Every structure is written in C-alpha cells, then in structure tokens.
Amino acid sequence: MKTGDQRRMIEARDVVKYFGRFKALDRVSFDVREGEKVVILGPSGSGKSTLLRSINQLETIDAGRIVVNGIDINDPATDITRVREEVGMVFQSFNLFPHKTVLENLTLAQVVVRKRSRQEAREKGLELLRKVGIAEKADVFPGRLSGGQQQRVAIARSLAMDPKLMLFDEPTSALDPEMIGEVLDVMKGLAREGMTMVVVTHEMGFAREVADRVIFMDHGAIVEEGTPEHFFTSPTHERTKLFLSQIL
Amino acid sequence: MMNMEHDNKPIEVGDGAAIPTKADAGLFTAWRISFLGAVGALAYLVIAKPDPYLNILKFVPDGIVVTFKVTIGAILLSLVLGLLTGLGRISGNRFFNGIASVYVEVIRGIPLLVQIFYIYYALGRIVHVPDMLSAIIAMAVCYGAYMGEVFRAGIQSIPKGQMEAALSLGMTRSQAMGHVILPQAVKVVLPPIGNEFIALLKDSSLVSILAVSDLLRRGREYASESFAYFETYTIIALVYLIITLILSKLIGMMEERINENR
C-alpha cells in the first residue's frame, strides 16, 4: 500500500450536484493521490457514478471545487479538453465507436487530440491491443466482439492517450459473469503498474485485492472511508454494515 | 406549437416514393411491376399512336433537364441548410438554437407553392435573380427545414455514450461531432433523406408556375398549343414516375452498400 505525501491527483471539496430538485451529491470531499487506487462502493442511486463523471466534467457540478492534476476544472478559464486528455474513462456500456475498427478506435484520439502521426498511433494501438490480449482483432469492427473483449478494447483506447489517471464507471456491470474475470485481470495489471485509478464497482473481491482505499457512499454523501481491511472487517457506520450484509 | 422534445422518436419519413427493402426481394416486387408497367405503357403509346404521343415525348426532354437542374441544385443547397439547421436544433447555444427552431416552424407552416411565389417576388424586389435560381432557392429553403429535422433526429438517435466517450478522450465537441457522431448519423438519415430527395423532385413541378420551363411546364406548353391535354399529361405522369422509380432504386442500392460496409 502506498503512503506518504505523493502529489494529489484529485482534490474534491464540498461538491454539490443537483438533478432538477434531486440532490445527487451532497457536499462531497475527497482526495486521490498519485498512484493510489480508490474504489467507490455504495447502493445504486448513491451518487457514485455522478461523482466519478464530475471528475472529468461529464457532469457539471453546482457548487464546490474539483482540482484534477493541479487544474481547477470549474474555473471558466480552464480548457476542459486539456484535463480530459490526461484522464481516461471506461464506461459500463463500453461506448466503442461502432463505425471504426478496433485499431481505429485506439488511433482516432491519438491522431485528432494528441496530434501523433498515423504510424505512431498504429504502433501504440497495436502494442496496447497486445497488452490487453486481443491484437488479432485489430481490424475487426467492435460489433463482432464479446462484451469482455469490447471492454478490454475500451480500456486500451483510454490507455492510448497515456492518461495520468483512469476512471472506471462500473466496468463489469454489463458483462456476462464468465467475462468479468478477463476485464478485472487487465485492471489488476494496470494497478500493478502504478496507474492512479478510481473505480466504481460492485466487485468486492477486486476492491479487497486492489484498493488502497475504499469510499462508501449513500444518498449522495461519503459515509465511510478507509482501507479495505478496515472497511470489510470492522466498518463503523450502521449503513455500511447494512450494505455489506446485503452484498456479501 | 413548438415541439422541441422528441428524443428517440423514429425519424419521420416524407411522402417520397417507397424505397425498396430487402423484404421485396422476390421477382414481382412492387418496384418492378411499377417500373416495367410505366416503361411498357410509355413504349406502347409511343409506338401504337406516334401522333400525338411520340411528338409529346420529343417535346419534353428540355424540361427533364431543367427539372434535374432545379432538383440537384435544391438538393445540394438544402443539404447544407439542413445540416446547419439540424446542428442548430441540438445546439446548447440559445441563439443558434432559436434561429434554427424558428426557421423550421415558420417554413413548415407555409405551403411550398406560397413560398415559391413569395421568394420569387421578395428576391425580385432586392436583386434581379434568374427565375431558375429563384426557384432553386425557394425549394432549398423549404426542404432545408424538413431535412434539418431529419438530421436532428439522426444525430439524436446516436447513443449519448458515443459523445461522452469522445469527450472523455479529450476531443472537443466539434471534433466528436465530425469524427464520431455524424459518420454514424449519416447511415441513419440516409433512408429518410432519400425520401426527401424524391419528394423534392416531385415538388419541383411546382416551379412551373414561375417562368421555369421544367418537365411539367413543357407539357403545359405543348398541351395549350395542341389541345391534347389528356395525352400530354399521361406522358408527363409516366415520365415523372419512371424518373422517381429509378431514383428510389439508386438510393436503395446506395443504402445497401453503406450497410454492407459496417
């Protein structure tokens, strides 16, 4: 486990988000240090995904402050695309581009955003496809792949941008059970390499094994926060105990 | 009333001729019956009664050329207008959204024939515009509004996650639109756009009320000299039918090719 005072990758203070009159995030504050793996748990509707999506401003927050990689993302002077370039995101529904081949999915943003040459982007893309174990599918369209393969491509697509931080929004929730393992393995490999990761998931095994810290949310607020050992063995709050008794 | 929220509604299909589908794959498809019937009827009339039918047929090709010129000009212009309108309708920018929405509402509320007159005389007050150009502008302004709605629906039919994925990779909204959303939307809008093309070709007959010698006007000119009204309009109708059937076939083939390349 990493300790000490590494640089802060994410610094969120008193974040508030409303959907209409529904308070999705209620003064949420947390930090993520460089290289840290944080897993966010909580019942559905607790605000986990909203919190994750506000880190790269797929959701705009109504109050508070989020600083990512040293940049205040809600500052009007901030060019949010510069922040998003450095923040990879993996979605529950993969969101691969269906009109592009697997390799083109990996090269598009490298060329358009990072301004790499096609050749350079191709090489990088193929290298990452080998890393996630599907190099042989490079020229196939995503529709031909299984869910597990699609999600691995989606992870590779994010990695192609050389992100400093990776966000995972329930990456295995849309997968058949036999495909969850292959995606989690890729994520574990990434964790071993020292990637900073924030993961919203229901995979308790993954949380135990990989997380440096677990954040438990309910009703738009952080209820409890701590190491996996503490969280799974001796939770302090009643709501955490109730959640764990339901899910384990 | 303004109706801005029809997300996930199927794309409205214009009143163009039916585009062949794979289900029509049999030998006696509606398209084949119609096409062979029209060509056969035309051939029979021309051969069996060259006077007046052959004379009429010889008289109208100039008009066919004009009809094509008006149609193609209006299609190109209305595609540009339609795409801009569609983008305006989904824009978060209140100004562009407002302009696009008002344009669509106003144009859809005025009959095309009235628009053709209006634009002809309105333009004529400011600058001298050739009749044909005035006709093309009128058709394009009208169809731009309808195509704008098709483009809007097509863009909105692409799942939200596609835009989010593109943005999360650091693309700007316009990069995401150009590289991710529009290429997918084009496939979705092709059938309804094809229907709009066909409808536009047919509606181009309305420009014959201006001094534009399109297919219909050439027919009228012939008929008013020869008094062979019935015979003339029979030929005109058959020629329109054959043209639209060929066009609908071409669009169907294009659509098939695009779907193959998925």
Side-chain angles (χ1 to χ4, degrees):
Chain A
M1 207 207 315
K2 303 231 168 120
T3 50
D5 22 49
Q6 284 113 326
R7 224 164 59 85
R8 281 199 189 118
M9 189 60 83
I10 305 172
E11 197 181 334
R13 290 289 170 274
D14 296 324
V15 174
V16 176
K17 167 75 183 174
Y18 283 92
F19 288 117
R21 294 173 64 188
F22 176 71
K23 205 174 202 176
L25 293 176
D26 186 4
R27 290 168 43 85
V28 175
S29 300
F30 73 106
D31 289 341
V32 176
R33 293 170 189 285
E34 197 168 1
E36 203 177 14
K37 289 96 185 102
V38 175
V39 169
I40 306 178
L41 300 176
S44 56
S46 59
K48 309 173 300 249
S49 288
T50 308
L51 181 60
L52 196 74
R53 289 161 56 84
S54 59
I55 294 169
N56 66 352
Q57 217 181 67
L58 288 183
E59 305 290 353
T60 49
I61 60 174
D62 296 311
R65 192 173 125 87
I66 300 178
V67 179
V68 178
N69 195 24
I71 304 170
D72 181 347
I73 65 167
N74 299 303
D75 183 340
T78 298
D79 178 2
I80 190 64
T81 59
R82 295 287 85 80
V83 177
R84 286 173 179 153
E85 280 177 32
E86 312 294 338
V87 180
M89 182 151 200
V90 175
F91 300 86
Q92 180 177 348
S93 51
F94 328 134
N95 296 346
L96 293 177
F97 306 136
H99 62 301
K100 304 235 172 238
T101 65
V102 165
L103 186 57
E104 286 166 355
N105 264 273
L106 270 68
T107 55
L108 178 64
Q110 291 190 66
V111 173
V112 172
V113 179
R114 286 272 191 246
K115 310 291 180 206
R116 289 175 188 155
S117 72
R118 289 191 179 275
Q119 184 57 29
E120 199 185 343
R122 268 185 70 87
E123 279 164 19
K124 176 100 190 168
L126 286 169
E127 177 199 319
L128 283 164
L129 285 177
R130 274 194 293 277
K131 183 173 168 177
V132 300
I134 27 181
E136 75 281 4
K137 303 285 188 190
D139 298 319
V140 169
F141 284 92
R144 294 283 181 84
L145 302 182
S146 72
Q149 290 172 327
Q150 288 194 46
Q151 194 60 298
R152 284 186 282 154
V153 172
I155 294 172
R157 178 175 68 179
S158 286
L159 293 177
M161 298 296 285
D162 295 315
K164 295 197 168 69
L165 161 67
M166 286 283 286
L167 308 175
F168 293 85
D169 190 3
E170 302 201 25
T172 57
S173 297
L175 296 176
D176 292 335
E178 71 270 22
M179 292 170 184
I180 292 177
E182 64 192 61
V183 171
L184 292 181
D185 284 344
V186 170
M187 292 168 64
K188 286 173 192 168
L190 208 54
R192 277 194 296 275
E193 289 168 19
M195 175 64 76
T196 312
M197 294 164 70
V198 182
V199 184
V200 170
T201 186
H202 296 292
E203 294 293 326
M204 297 301 145
F206 177 84
R208 270 197 165 150
E209 189 183 331
V210 177
D212 297 320
R213 189 149 48 93
V214 173
I215 291 176
F216 176 70
M217 288 184 72
D218 199 11
H219 297 296
I222 292 177
V223 175
E224 188 156 0
E225 193 175 350
T227 63
E229 292 87 52
H230 160 80
F231 184 81
F232 287 107
T233 53
S234 50
T236 40
H237 285 76
E238 281 309 313
R239 268 193 283 177
T240 318
K241 286 178 193 163
L242 181 65
F243 175 73
L244 287 172
S245 72
Q246 284 166 340
I247 207 156
L248 291 179
Chain B
M1 279 304 287
M2 200 92 111
N3 187 7
M4 305 250 303
E5 298 212 321
H6 13 221
D7 295 32
N8 300 328
K9 227 180 156 189
I11 293 175
E12 296 142 43
V13 174
D15 66 343
I19 288 175
T21 61
K22 282 213 168 124
D24 295 338
L27 193 59
F28 296 105
T29 62
W31 187 87
R32 284 189 187 166
I33 294 167
S34 315
F35 186 73
L36 294 178
V39 172
L42 189 64
Y44 171 79
L45 290 175
V46 166
I47 293 163
K49 275 185 81 180
D51 182 28
Y53 289 112
L54 186 58
N55 298 337
I56 300 167
L57 197 59
K58 279 182 184 162
F59 192 77
V60 296
D62 294 355
I64 296 177
V65 172
V66 171
T67 290
F68 274 132
K69 278 185 184 165
V70 171
T71 304
I72 291 167
I75 281 175
L76 294 178
L77 197 54
S78 65
L79 276 177
V80 175
L81 263 176
L83 184 58
L84 290 176
T85 307
L87 289 172
R89 291 271 280 152
I90 57 163
S91 168
N93 182 312
R94 286 186 153 214
F95 179 70
F96 292 123
N97 195 314
I99 289 186
S101 302
V102 170
Y103 165 59
V104 169
E105 291 300 327
V106 168
I107 293 300
R108 291 209 298 191
I110 301 172
L112 177 54
L113 189 54
V114 177
Q115 288 180 44
I116 289 173
F117 275 130
Y118 189 81
I119 288 177
Y120 179 74
Y121 288 112
L123 277 179
R125 288 193 145 206
I126 312 162
V127 277
H128 180 72
V129 179
D131 295 344
M132 169 119 75
L133 185 60
S134 171
I136 288 174
I137 291 172
M139 298 287 300
V141 165
C142 175
Y143 270 84
Y146 291 96
M147 289 199 196
E149 286 303 273
V150 173
F151 276 114
R152 180 193 55 74
I155 292 167
Q156 286 181 338
S157 76
I158 306 303
K160 232 179 127 200
Q162 292 289 310
M163 176 57 92
E164 291 184 347
L167 292 180
S168 74
L169 288 165
M171 289 187 216
T172 62
R173 274 193 174 269
S174 39
Q175 284 169 342
M177 200 44 94
H179 291 287
V180 176
I181 307 299
L182 287 180
Q184 296 183 63
V186 164
K187 290 179 186 177
V188 179
V189 301
L190 195 69
I193 288 285
N195 273 326
E196 294 293 334
F197 285 180
I198 293 165
L200 195 155
L201 186 135
K202 291 186 297 176
D203 280 351
S204 76
S205 61
L206 291 172
V207 307
S208 62
I209 54 153
L210 305 181
V212 177
S213 294
D214 75 328
L215 178 53
L216 180 59
R217 192 178 172 94
R218 288 291 283 176
R220 260 169 56 202
E221 285 166 9
Y222 186 91
S224 61
E225 278 170 30
S226 65
F227 300 106
Y229 288 100
F230 168 73
E231 293 81 354
T232 306
Y233 288 121
T234 304
I235 295 291
I236 298 293
L238 285 172
V239 171
Y240 269 116
L241 179 58
I242 290 167
I243 294 172
T244 50
L245 285 171
I246 291 171
L247 188 59
S248 80
K249 191 70 170 179
L250 288 176
I251 290 163
M253 280 160 55
M254 220 163 87
E255 197 188 321
E256 227 165 78
R257 262 188 61 183
I258 281 187
N259 284 333
E260 272 169 19
N261 295 338
R262 277 196 102 102

